[in-house]
Amino acid sequence: MNELERILRADLHDVAGTVDIPVRLDTVAAVRDRMAAADHRTRWGRIALAAAVAAALVLAAVWFAQAVLFRTPDTAVPNPLQTPSEPAPAPSADPSAQPPTTTPSAVPATPSPSASAAATPVDPGERTVGMFVYFAATESFPNLVREVRQVPAQTPARGALEAMLAGPSDPESVTLWNPDTKILGISEHADLITVDLSREAEDFNLGAAYEGYMVDQLVYTITEAFQPTFRVLITIEGRPFVTGHNVYDQPMTRGEGTDSPIRLVIDTPAQDATVSSPVRVTGLAAAFEATIMWEVRGTGPEAPVVAEGVAHTDEGMVLAPFAFDLPPLGPGTYVLRITLDDPSAGEAGPPASETKVFSVR
């Protein structure tokens, strides 16, 4: 170190000794408290963030368990349709059996069997069940009628709709749906059934009244495979069913297409059935004062009436079951006609009537 450096160092030391830096203890304490508070907030922020992440993980785990591990399998076709309870095979007809009491909103879901009921084609050896399939009557419109069809037990809903599209065996009734319609999917979620059809379903030429019966025809048929009170949503290739008269974008129950789609139904004898005498006649009717008229003729154009009479439903003015036996008939082919009592004497239009051709052994 030279002389000049020693002089400068001595001068700096002397000057530094004259500098007075005041230090206040309360200021130091305030700074310390601020630093401690900032550290506290940071620590609780980290804890809150960790809790939020943990809660999100728990919610994700619950969703995964419900949506994947414990999810009810979707019943959409092409997977086999799993119905709430598989319909039991149709039992043998019992002439003494009385049909169950019913109302317009709850037509029996288990059809009466018929030895001659038309069958939907199924694979040989495949188990089938009897299912009511609904059609529109041509002789007594407006009126829905029904036939028993044998459909695959594993896919009764699809089988019933396919039978509906294929058409009836009775020449006095028709299907209102385009027979080229394809069933793209059927799914069940709680009490809602969704039926997805191909665009051919929109290809029809019906008035507003027939359109309502067309919708009811499908709703009544598909709910036979589930529960009569279930709701049905019809879609066309995944979009709402839109026609020239209505937009069917909401689920529907039985009878929402029309006020009273069923007025008269003959369940037995079935069309072209061969039965033994006495012939048991059963069905449903919404009859004034619970009264229906019946007659039996031969099949010729001038065939005379061989028997006629009056029968009664279980209850008047509402859709209710009826059951009665025809008088003894000899072997041959006959035409049974049932007509509702008409208190207006024709002023309200022709009364509902239905016929069935059957043979007696």
Side-chain angles (χ1 to χ4, degrees):
M1 180 181 300
N2 56 35
E3 185 64 23
L4 179 59
E5 290 176 341
R6 281 198 299 270
I7 294 172
L8 289 175
R9 181 180 293 275
D11 291 341
L12 288 173
H13 184 270
D14 293 339
V15 172
T18 64
V19 175
D20 184 18
I21 302 176
V23 178
R24 297 180 58 184
L25 295 180
D26 56 345
T27 301
V28 174
V31 172
R32 181 197 61 197
D33 292 342
R34 285 198 299 271
M35 295 179 64
D39 182 68
H40 182 74
R41 287 194 299 270
T42 302
R43 184 167 60 252
W44 278 107
R46 291 171 180 170
I47 294 174
L49 178 61
V53 172
L57 292 175
V58 170
L59 289 175
V62 171
W63 175 87
F64 179 81
Q66 291 180 342
V68 179
L69 299 180
F70 302 108
R71 179 178 180 271
T72 302
D74 193 355
T75 56
V77 177
N79 292 332
L81 179 64
Q82 302 298 318
T83 58
S85 58
E86 184 177 281
S92 301
D94 182 2
S96 63
Q98 297 292 329
T101 303
T102 184
T103 65
S105 61
V107 179
T110 303
S112 302
S114 170
S116 64
T120 300
V122 296
D123 294 334
E126 184 175 6
R127 192 167 72 86
T128 63
V129 293
M131 192 74 63
F132 275 135
V133 178
Y134 290 80
F135 302 98
T138 57
E139 296 296 320
S140 60
F141 185 81
N143 186 39
L144 286 185
V145 295
R146 61 190 185 183
E147 297 181 2
V148 176
R149 295 297 180 87
Q150 294 299 317
V151 301
Q154 294 300 315
T155 56
R158 171 176 279 273
L161 288 186
E162 289 176 345
M164 180 197 75
L165 294 172
S169 61
D170 189 337
E172 293 187 353
S173 57
V174 296
T175 182
L176 299 176
W177 290 86
N178 183 348
D180 294 331
T181 301
K182 299 177 181 61
I183 304 167
L184 303 182
I186 304 171
S187 62
E188 176 210 0
H189 299 282
D191 68 339
L192 175 63
I193 309 165
T194 301
V195 179
D196 192 34
L197 304 175
S198 66
R199 66 185 62 188
E200 286 81 2
E202 297 176 316
D203 185 12
F204 63 89
N205 184 21
L206 299 173
Y210 275 93
E211 183 180 298
Y213 279 85
M214 181 181 75
V215 171
D216 275 338
Q217 181 189 356
L218 185 146
V219 172
Y220 270 80
T221 297
I222 192 68
T223 50
E224 289 290 337
F226 296 90
Q227 296 292 332
T229 57
F230 275 19
R231 300 170 299 139
V232 179
L233 178 64
I234 302 174
T235 59
I236 305 298
E237 298 182 356
R239 53 185 171 79
F241 180 34
V242 180
T243 70
H245 302 98
N246 287 293
V247 176
Y248 299 96
D249 57 354
Q250 297 297 318
M252 295 170 289
T253 57
R254 288 186 170 192
E256 285 196 21
T258 55
D259 292 335
S260 54
I262 299 177
R263 295 188 296 163
L264 175 62
V265 171
I266 300 175
D267 287 330
T268 61
Q271 179 70 20
D272 299 324
T274 299
V275 296
S276 300
S277 185
V279 179
R280 185 70 165 173
V281 180
T282 64
L284 301 170
F288 177 73
E289 294 184 347
T291 302
I292 58 176
M293 283 77 69
W294 62 268
E295 67 175 27
V296 178
R297 296 175 177 266
T299 56
E302 303 296 331
V305 175
V306 298
E308 60 183 347
V310 174
H312 296 88
T313 61
D314 288 356
E315 187 177 357
M317 308 303 294
V318 298
L319 191 65
F322 62 80
F324 61 92
D325 291 329
L326 297 177
L329 298 172
T333 302
Y334 300 90
V335 179
L336 167 68
R337 177 179 291 276
I338 295 181
T339 305
L340 296 184
D341 188 18
D342 181 18
S344 72
E347 293 184 3
S353 65
E354 188 181 357
T355 62
K356 294 292 183 183
V357 178
F358 67 95
S359 298
V360 175
R361 330 184 151 87

